[in-house]
Amino acid sequence: MKKETVYTLVVIAFVLSFFVTPLGDFSKIVLNRWLARAPTIISESNRGKIADYNWRLKDAKWNFINFEKSKGKVVFITFWNSWHLPSKAQLKDIQKLYDSYNDKVSFYIITNEERAPVELFMEKNGYTFPVTYQIVGEPSPITLLKPPGSYILDKKGSIVVHQNAVADWDNQKVISLLEQLIIE
């Protein structure tokens, strides 16, 4: 074989490794983190409100809960799946937010998966934020976004952030926003 052919095969094997090996998943997650930007904050004049707080969900123990308990609080909502690479890319930042604000902000990290893969994923990655399970077919006061979609709501139920893509949640812009919303 010629030297150029061997070189070409090595390059092809390296590129393919990003698509068919765990190294590829890791690399894609890192790339998503690097490319993530701070979420866009909606100006006060353009903020919509959620319809109501009547929304049934399930907690990590599979008990029914109602979103109503978050009325009058700052709320962080994100939709995710344990198998979804863009979701995985932002969960580390969401864990940091949860560690800093879990007593001041209601967190709803929502999935539509079954418990077993979610519990395994949470344990493997050391995440401690509360997982909330969506009940398929249950009416929602907000548009159910595709993962990794997220919302931040103020205490009055106004939508302050409506993010449809991977975001950098661990930055000064988000921290300042949450601090401001908590004080209001």
Side-chain angles (χ1 to χ4, degrees), residues 4 8 23 45 52 60 81 84 91 96 116 129 135 139 169 178:
E4 294 85 23
T8 302
L23 172 65
S45 60
D52 61 34
N81 292 112
H84 189 247
L91 289 178
K96 289 178 185 177
F129 51 75
I135 302 170
W169 296 104
L178 289 177

Side-chain angles (χ1 to χ4, degrees), residues 84-101:
H84 189 247
L85 288 173
S87 294
K88 290 179 185 182
Q90 68 180 15
L91 289 178
K92 193 177 277 189
D93 287 354
I94 291 170
Q95 179 66 54
K96 289 178 185 177
L97 273 186
Y98 176 74
D99 291 343
S100 298
Y101 293 99

Side-chain angles (χ1 to χ4, degrees), residues 48-64:
K49 269 193 142 167
I50 63 170
D52 61 34
Y53 282 83
N54 188 24
W55 185 18
R56 284 183 350 132
L57 300 157
K58 287 186 178 181
D59 66 13
K61 295 178 182 167
W62 219 241
N63 296 316
F64 289 103

Side-chain angles (χ1 to χ4, degrees), residues 112-152:
N112 60 2
E113 293 180 82
E114 292 295 322
R115 284 175 62 189
V118 171
E119 289 171 352
L120 182 64
F121 176 83
M122 296 288 289
E123 184 179 325
K124 178 182 171 189
N125 290 286
Y127 294 134
T128 60
F129 51 75
V131 175
T132 309
Y133 294 89
Q134 175 187 343
I135 302 170
V136 177
E138 183 70 25
S140 165
I142 57 173
T143 302
L144 299 174
L145 300 175
K146 292 181 182 176
S150 303
Y151 291 102
I152 294 179

